[in-house]
Amino acid sequence: MANQIPDIVVGRLPIYLRELRLLAESENKITTSSHELGRRLGISSAQIRKDLSHFGEFGKQGTGYHTKYLIEQLQQILHLTQEWEIALVGAGYLGHAIVNYNGFQHRGFRISRLFDSDPAKIGRKMNDLIVQDVAELEETIQKRQIKIAIIVVPANTAQRIADRLVKAGIESILNYAPIHLDVPAHVRVSYSDPVIQMQHMAYYLAPQDA
Amino acid sequence: MANQIPDIVVGRLPIYLRELRLLAESENKITTSSHELGRRLGISSAQIRKDLSHFGEFGKQGTGYHTKYLIEQLQQILHLTQEWEIALVGAGYLGHAIVNYNGFQHRGFRISRLFDSDPAKIGRKMNDLIVQDVAELEETIQKRQIKIAIIVVPANTAQRIADRLVKAGIESILNYAPIHLDVPAHVRVSYSDPVIQMQHMAYYLAPQDA
C-alpha cells in the first residue's frame, strides 16, 4: 500500500515536517493550517492537503492542524520515531563538516561511525567519533545493523565504497561524490552535488560577458 | 522559448554533462550513445533522447553522439562557457569545506568572495580567499555584478542574508541553511539539507526496534 504513494509526495513530507517544527518550537504555534504552511513554503494549500490525504486525516476543516499531532504523525510515517545510526565514509573537509553539523539531532539520525582509509586520520577524534579504518567497514555495519550511509569520498573510489556498503547491508546512501552510483534496486541513493544544482540554476541566468 | 522547456528536463542536463565529461576525460571516449549514457545513469535511452531533442539535434542514428561536441553544446545551453563568480556567506565548517572543494573548477564556477560576521574570522585566509566582513556584502556583490550566492549560515539568519543578497542583485542561491527562503519570483533557490534527503529515504526503510 505504501508503495503506491508517489515518491515526489513522500519527498515533500520532510519539508512539511521541518516547517511544522519551526512553527511549534521556535514560534510556539499550537495550531496551523494548510494555508499558513503553504504560504510559508511557497506551495499551494491544495497541494499540501492532497499530499497529506494520502496518509490519513490530520486536521479539521476550520480549525486546521494541531501542530504537535501532525509532527508526530509525520515522524511516524517517515519512520523517524526511532533514531537511525549512520555510517559516514570519508573524513576529509566535508566529512568533518557533516560530523560537526548539529542538524541531525532530534531529526531522527545520528552519525555513529566514521571511516577513512588515510592512516594519518585513522584513530583521530572528530566530534566525539573516532575515525575507523575503512577495512572495518563491513564488520562494523553488519554487527550494528546500520542501514544508512553517507559517502564523502573522491569520485574515483565512491562506487567501490558503495559496493562494499551495499554488501554489508546498507539500504540508503546519501552520496556527496560527484558521480552516479550503480546499486541494486532495493538500495536508494540520494545525491548532493552543489555544482549540479548551480549548473541547473545557471540555465536561467542571462549570460554575462566574460 | 527557453521558458517552455520543463524545469525537470533542464535539471537533468547537468547530470548528462557530468557523465559525458567522465566519458571524455577519464575514459577517452570519442563517441557515445543514448543507450550507453542511459545504462550508466539508470535513465532510459528514450528519456535522454527526448530531453536533448528540446534543444536540437546532437547525434546521428547509428553513430550516436560525438562526446566533446555534446559537452560543448550542453555547456552553451546551461551558460557554462563563461566562469560565474560565486559569493559564499558563512565561513564555518561547511563553508570551509565548500571553499576547499575543487569540484567547481572547470565546471563553470569560482567562489571568489567569502563573507562572515564573526570578527575572529574576518581577515583570515581560507584557500586563497580572505574572509570579508559581511557588512561589505552589498557593495562587493554590486561592484562585481555577482549573480550567484551560497548561503551557509545558521537557519535563524539565513532569510535576512537572502534578503540582502537579493537586494544586491543575486539571482541564484544555493541554500544550505535548513529553512525555506522567501524570495522574489525572479530569484531561484536550490536547497541542500542532508536531513531532508535522509528523512525521505527513511520512509522506504523497515522500522527497526530502537
Side-chain angles (χ1 to χ4, degrees), chain A residues 5-193:
Chain A
I5 292 162
D7 184 60
I8 196 157
V9 172
V10 176
R12 280 192 290 262
L13 300 185
I15 295 167
Y16 301 156
L17 176 59
R18 190 177 67 184
E19 198 66 24
L20 285 163
R21 293 193 61 163
L22 206 65
L23 280 164
E25 290 162 21
S26 304
E27 305 176 27
N28 294 308
K29 293 227 181 186
I30 306 225
T31 59
T32 186
S33 64
S34 56
H35 290 278
E36 183 175 47
L37 265 181
R39 188 177 41 73
R40 292 174 64 119
L41 292 173
I43 297 176
S44 81
S45 58
Q47 178 76 73
I48 293 174
R49 286 194 301 275
K50 199 181 157 202
D51 284 352
L52 294 178
S53 73
H54 285 283
F55 303 94
E57 287 241 16
F58 303 112
K60 285 181 198 158
Q61 205 137 33
T63 58
Y65 304 112
H66 191 277
T67 320
K68 281 211 173 139
Y69 175 72
L70 186 50
I71 288 171
E72 284 164 14
Q73 294 299 307
L74 288 176
Q75 284 173 332
Q76 215 154 79
I77 292 165
L78 292 167
H79 304 145
L80 304 174
T81 52
Q82 67 173 93
E83 187 178 71
W84 295 95
E85 276 193 63
I86 297 175
L88 189 146
V89 190
Y93 282 117
L94 184 54
H96 193 194
I98 294 170
V99 165
N100 276 283
Y101 178 55
N102 61 13
F104 295 106
Q105 283 178 315
H106 313 301
R107 290 176 78 189
F109 306 93
R110 181 171 59 91
I111 296 174
S112 66
R113 296 286 163 161
L114 178 56
F115 298 93
D116 203 285
S117 61
D118 181 355
K121 284 178 189 152
I122 294 165
R124 270 183 52 199
K125 218 172 171 182
M126 279 192 187
N127 199 31
D128 288 340
L129 282 180
I130 305 285
V131 180
Q132 282 179 256
D133 188 334
V134 76
E136 300 167 12
L137 189 77
E138 287 84 352
E139 198 193 327
T140 307
I141 287 172
Q142 278 162 5
K143 198 182 269 177
R144 300 191 65 86
Q145 297 190 281
I146 300 176
K147 296 294 169 196
I148 306 177
I150 303 181
I151 292 182
V152 207
V153 301
N156 59 0
T157 52
Q159 182 64 57
R160 217 156 43 227
I161 292 293
D163 292 342
R164 292 176 57 184
L165 289 169
V166 169
K167 271 192 200 137
I170 290 293
E171 293 174 14
S172 297
I173 296 172
L174 178 54
N175 176 35
Y176 282 91
I179 191 172
H180 176 82
L181 294 180
D182 194 13
V183 296
H186 74 280
V187 178
R188 297 210 156 237
V189 182
S190 187
Y191 294 89
S192 187
D193 181 341

